[in-house]
Amino acid sequence: MLVSANQPWKSTVPTLNLLQHCKTLNDVKQIHARLLTTGLIDDISLTTKLILKFCSSHHAPLVKFARYLFLSKYSNQTQETQLSDPYLWNAIAKSFSHGDDDPKQAVVIFSSMLSRGVLVDKYSFSLVLKACSRIGLLKEGMQIHGLLRKSEIGHDAFLQNSLLCLYLRCGCTGFARQLFDKMSRRDSVSYNLMIDGYAKCGMLNLAREAFDSMPKEEKNFISWNSIISGYLQSEDGLKVAWGLFEEMPKRDLVSWNLMIDGLVKFSRIENACDLFNKMPERDVISWATMIDGYAKLGNLRVARNLFDQVPVKDTVVCNAMMAGYVQNGHFSEALNLFHYVINADKLLFPDETTLSIVLSAIAQLGRIGEGVSVHCYIEEHGYAIEGKLGVALIDMYSKCGSIDNAMKVFEGLKEKNVDHWNAVLGGLAVHGLGELAFELFLEMERLLVKPDDITFIGLLNACGHAGLVKEGLMCFELMRRVHKVEPKLQHYGCMVDILGRAGYIEEARSFIQKMPIEPNDIVWRTLLSHCGNYKNCDIGQPVGEHLITQDTTDTTTSSGSYVLLSNMYAGFGMWDDVSRIRRVMRERKLKKIPGCSSVELEGVVHEFFATDKSHPQAGEVYFTLDRFCDSDVNCFRHGG
């Protein structure tokens, strides 16, 4: 920082001129150092200007410095001239109530104003109610409501609407309705809040009642869109929503996008396409919704055609197309699209969703080299790994075979939520590290992290792969009795797998018979697989015959049950039954899906299917395998 020769050292002019260039923490430190060394830190006029400029900044270091200056220089002052004007207090309160870090501090600021005798005005109340609404502070909000009732401004329409917003966001529709009924003057905001609040709580009858009672001249786009959005939450309401959409005197872009999204959600893609073609204007949400709709129906050709037609592509549209590729198993295409995004000459910027999608694609491909590159990209560009990116990274490393890196990511997280624990438990399960998974679960309980149903799926899978029958049974009981998580079909399937893997075939069958919900073919197939492994034809035969008897589907049916039963019969030398099963498979045009292995070598992934010799180096591969086989045979013959 240089001071002009025309200005004295203690002049405020250089500092004021440099404020507009201040953005980073380093800039803030320089400003602070100058204030301290010149004594300008005690200049009330200068620090007030600095606080007001910085507290509304988009740069976090500046906002934090403004708060620091205020709390250290102003919040403890007792001069009546300072206390009578709430302007500076309100500015700091707004930085919390509208900021991303800690809205609750706005309540603390408001409380300090009251305790120090600072005048609180209409704006002060609106800011603290905004903070309470954002983070669901119902108790504090009700206390502020009580204070407002004693105040002259308690009947102000703006503040009454702020209270309505608080109660509705906290799910207290009854309190909101009482307040709404007592309001001396209701405006369009009041009605819209009630309509939207009722709709989001699924109380469509009351939402429609509020909408119908709203004066015609007060209805606006928000009113119509809120009630339409409410009906679009269920397929039964789709017809009513369509009728309201047709009835609208005017429609905005949100109206069109809402209706298209509703049609797509309930697989009415043709109707959505007709509406899309009639739109007077489109935005990226319109294009992304249609791309997502076709992708979810498996029609990637139309989805890609739409993507190519988007006039100006942004991250949202690219995410929709990438997600479509991943959903349909086209993982390489998703990866290619990601490379297009990051190489688009700064026209496109990947967000957390983009990175999560591409990590999911890499996990399925098993390309750990690509995964490491994306991880480096994340760290170089300063993305926060604490949220869903942390989950995606743990999952990617686990599925790519590097459980050590998955654990490093997990251990490096400052804040872990249940999704992070679930991801690492699932990874340990895949790698057969059941004992470590069980220890982590106990640590999870010690830290009071509440497990969910996915937690127990990962944990039970881990116990199954590691042969921990006792621990698996214990986890199942903990889930039901301690954590009050109702077991789903997947949990029962995991228990059948745990018992079956350990050879407890009779116990596994008994467990299925006692299930309170109807077992599906996957549960029975799990049992059948273990019957084959443990040569238990007495239980396996009726299970297998039951599975193929229940199968009445066409050629798209999985052939797994037939193959398992055929293999079991072959293991017992029951060749007539093997022929019968294979004949049924031929009649139903069912084919066994060949197994596939993949290996990444020097950045190239090579895939090998069972009995497939199409790989250019297939001859060398089979020659090497034959040498291994011969070596094993010789080793066996010589007692090795």
Side-chain angles (χ1 to χ4, degrees):
M1 255 181 216
L2 297 176
V3 181
S4 169
N6 299 323
Q7 299 290 343
W9 172 246
K10 291 189 177 182
S11 170
T12 61
V13 175
T15 304
L16 290 172
N17 289 339
L18 288 166
L19 292 184
Q20 59 186 335
H21 304 294
C22 191
K23 293 181 181 179
T24 66
L25 179 61
N26 190 47
D27 297 335
V28 168
K29 288 179 178 179
Q30 292 184 59
I31 289 282
H32 194 197
R34 175 166 172 76
L35 292 175
L36 291 172
T37 55
T38 59
L40 292 175
I41 192 75
D42 296 319
D43 187 322
I44 298 297
S45 175
L46 176 63
T47 52
T48 300
K49 289 177 182 177
L50 194 149
I51 290 169
L52 291 175
K53 182 171 183 64
F54 279 6
C55 70
S56 59
S57 172
H58 295 296
H59 304 288
L62 276 62
V63 177
K64 289 180 180 179
F65 186 53
R67 293 169 180 169
Y68 162 76
L69 279 180
F70 174 79
L71 294 172
S72 60
K73 303 297 293 182
Y74 290 84
S75 62
N76 294 320
Q77 288 189 2
T78 57
Q79 295 95 327
E80 191 173 341
T81 53
Q82 292 295 330
L83 295 176
S84 61
D85 185 3
Y87 186 72
L88 209 57
W89 288 82
N90 288 344
I92 295 298
K94 184 180 179 182
S95 77
F96 285 113
S97 66
H98 289 66
D100 295 329
D101 46 0
D102 191 5
K104 190 174 182 179
Q105 289 302 312
V107 182
V108 176
I109 295 291
F110 184 81
S111 178
S112 296
M113 292 173 73
L114 294 174
S115 63
R116 298 178 186 282
V118 181
L119 175 70
V120 290
D121 58 9
K122 170 183 169 181
Y123 192 48
S124 311
F125 276 104
S126 70
L127 291 171
V128 71
L129 287 172
K130 168 81 171 179
C132 291
S133 297
R134 285 185 61 192
I135 53 178
L137 297 177
L138 178 61
K139 181 181 177 181
E140 291 81 352
M142 293 180 77
Q143 291 174 335
I144 293 164
H145 187 183
L147 189 61
L148 269 174
R149 293 186 65 178
K150 302 174 185 177
S151 170
E152 295 178 359
I153 59 174
H155 294 287
D156 180 84
F158 179 73
L159 292 179
Q160 297 260 299
N161 287 336
S162 298
L163 282 167
L164 275 180
C165 183
L166 166 71
Y167 287 132
L168 289 167
R169 286 202 175 183
C170 291
C172 300
T173 54
F175 290 157
R177 185 56 187 257
Q178 288 178 25
L179 179 63
F180 179 78
D181 290 340
K182 292 177 181 178
M183 288 176 68
S184 56
R185 179 180 173 274
R186 304 168 189 146
D187 56 14
S188 61
V189 176
S190 315
Y191 280 100
N192 289 341
L193 283 169
M194 292 304 299
I195 294 166
D196 185 62
Y198 278 137
K200 285 179 177 175
C201 290
M203 306 167 75
L204 287 179
N205 290 337
L206 292 173
R208 186 59 185 265
E209 178 189 303
F211 178 80
D212 291 339
S213 64
M214 188 176 183
K216 187 175 180 180
E217 63 275 8
E218 294 280 2
K219 289 180 181 176
N220 53 26
F221 289 130
I222 297 174
S223 320
W224 288 93
N225 292 340
S226 295
I227 191 67
I228 288 172
S229 176
Y231 279 111
L232 287 173
Q233 298 308 306
S234 66
E235 191 168 4
D236 293 337
L238 184 60
K239 186 177 180 180
V240 181
W242 183 269
L244 286 165
F245 179 77
E246 293 288 331
E247 191 183 332
M248 286 182 74
K250 288 184 179 180
R251 303 167 188 145
D252 64 357
L253 190 55
V254 175
S255 314
W256 288 90
N257 285 341
L258 268 175
M259 202 63 228
I260 289 173
D261 181 65
L263 291 166
V264 165
K265 183 166 64 176
F266 298 113
S267 301
R268 302 279 291 275
I269 194 68
E270 292 181 1
N271 298 113
C273 187
D274 290 340
L275 214 57
F276 179 77
N277 291 331
K278 293 176 183 177
M279 290 182 75
E281 60 174 324
R282 300 165 183 154
D283 64 0
V284 291
I285 303 299
S286 319
W287 289 98
T289 303
M290 292 302 299
I291 291 168
D292 181 62
Y294 277 109
K296 283 180 177 174
L297 292 174
N299 198 335
L300 286 179
R301 182 182 60 81
V302 176
R304 182 67 201 212
N305 286 340
L306 284 168
F307 176 78
D308 292 337
Q309 293 174 39
V310 179
V312 180
K313 295 178 178 63
D314 79 337
T315 306
V316 175
V317 175
C318 292
N319 288 351
M321 193 66 244
M322 284 176 62
Y325 279 135
V326 172
Q327 289 162 9
N328 288 276
H330 293 244
F331 307 116
S332 296
E333 288 83 347
L335 187 55
N336 293 337
L337 188 51
F338 172 74
H339 288 303
Y340 163 78
V341 170
I342 61 174
N343 294 320
D345 296 327
K346 297 185 179 180
L347 296 175
L348 294 170
F349 298 93
D351 57 14
E352 287 189 8
T353 303
T354 318
L355 295 163
S356 298
I357 294 170
V358 75
L359 285 171
S360 176
I362 291 168
Q364 297 301 324
L365 291 168
R367 299 184 185 179
I368 193 168
E370 292 274 12
V372 171
S373 297
V374 173
H375 191 177
C376 292
Y377 181 91
I378 289 169
E379 291 183 335
E380 288 170 6
H381 290 79
Y383 290 91
I385 301 182
E386 304 305 313
K388 61 184 179 182
L389 272 184
V391 176
L393 280 168
I394 293 168
D395 183 64
M396 181 275 295
Y397 278 125
S398 298
K399 289 180 178 175
C400 288
S402 181
I403 192 63
D404 291 339
N405 279 327
M407 291 298 296
K408 284 179 183 177
V409 173
F410 177 75
E411 290 166 357
L413 297 172
K414 294 179 181 177
E415 294 183 10
K416 304 179 182 74
N417 60 36
V418 67
D419 294 329
H420 298 115
W421 289 90
N422 291 348
V424 78
L425 286 173
L428 292 170
V430 171
H431 288 263
L433 301 172
E435 292 181 358
L436 181 54
F438 194 73
E439 289 175 11
L440 268 181
F441 174 70
L442 296 178
E443 176 70 8
M444 185 180 179
E445 286 196 314
R446 190 183 67 80
L447 295 173
L448 302 179
V449 181
K450 187 177 181 180
D452 57 16
D453 59 323
I454 298 173
T455 310
F456 288 101
I457 290 173
L459 191 57
L460 291 172
N461 273 327
C463 291
H465 286 294
L468 303 176
V469 179
K470 181 180 177 181
E471 288 82 352
L473 292 168
M474 186 189 305
C475 291
F476 192 76
E477 291 304 313
L478 282 172
M479 175 178 66
R480 293 193 306 167
R481 300 179 187 275
V482 177
H483 297 285
K484 307 301 180 185
V485 175
E486 190 65 28
K488 297 180 180 178
L489 200 56
Q490 287 173 289
H491 300 103
Y492 287 108
C494 289
M495 285 306 303
V496 172
D497 188 51
I498 288 173
L499 294 168
R501 281 177 183 268
Y504 297 111
I505 305 300
E506 187 68 46
E507 290 81 353
R509 182 179 65 172
S510 177
F511 185 87
I512 294 175
Q513 291 170 342
K514 293 177 182 177
M515 282 172 54
I517 53 180
E518 186 70 23
N520 62 4
D521 60 337
I522 296 175
V523 174
W524 286 115
R525 202 179 300 149
T526 301
L527 178 59
L528 176 60
S529 174
H530 295 309
C531 287
N533 293 337
Y534 284 94
K535 310 296 182 184
N536 192 322
C537 190
D538 292 339
I539 293 177
Q541 183 174 8
V543 169
E545 296 293 347
H546 167 75
L547 278 169
I548 64 173
T549 302
Q550 295 297 312
D551 178 28
T552 57
T553 49
D554 57 13
T555 56
T556 60
T557 304
S558 168
S559 59
S561 302
Y562 297 88
V563 173
L564 286 172
L565 185 58
S566 175
N567 289 344
M568 188 183 72
Y569 283 146
F572 285 100
M574 301 166 65
W575 301 112
D576 290 342
D577 290 297
V578 172
S579 300
R580 175 173 58 86
I581 297 299
R582 290 182 177 177
R583 184 174 64 253
V584 173
M585 290 182 68
R586 285 194 300 271
E587 290 171 355
R588 296 187 180 182
K589 298 181 179 179
L590 295 172
K591 292 183 179 180
K592 179 182 176 182
I593 300 172
C596 175
S597 300
S598 61
V599 59
E600 184 177 356
L601 182 63
E602 297 180 354
V604 179
V605 177
H606 302 268
E607 291 187 338
F608 300 91
F609 289 89
T611 70
D612 177 28
K613 297 184 180 180
S614 61
H615 191 276
Q617 294 175 280
E620 298 174 49
V621 171
Y622 280 104
F623 176 73
T624 304
L625 287 173
D626 289 340
R627 287 181 60 192
F628 284 141
C629 291
D630 291 342
S631 175
D632 288 342
V633 170
N634 290 330
C635 190
F636 174 76
R637 285 173 179 169
H638 292 88

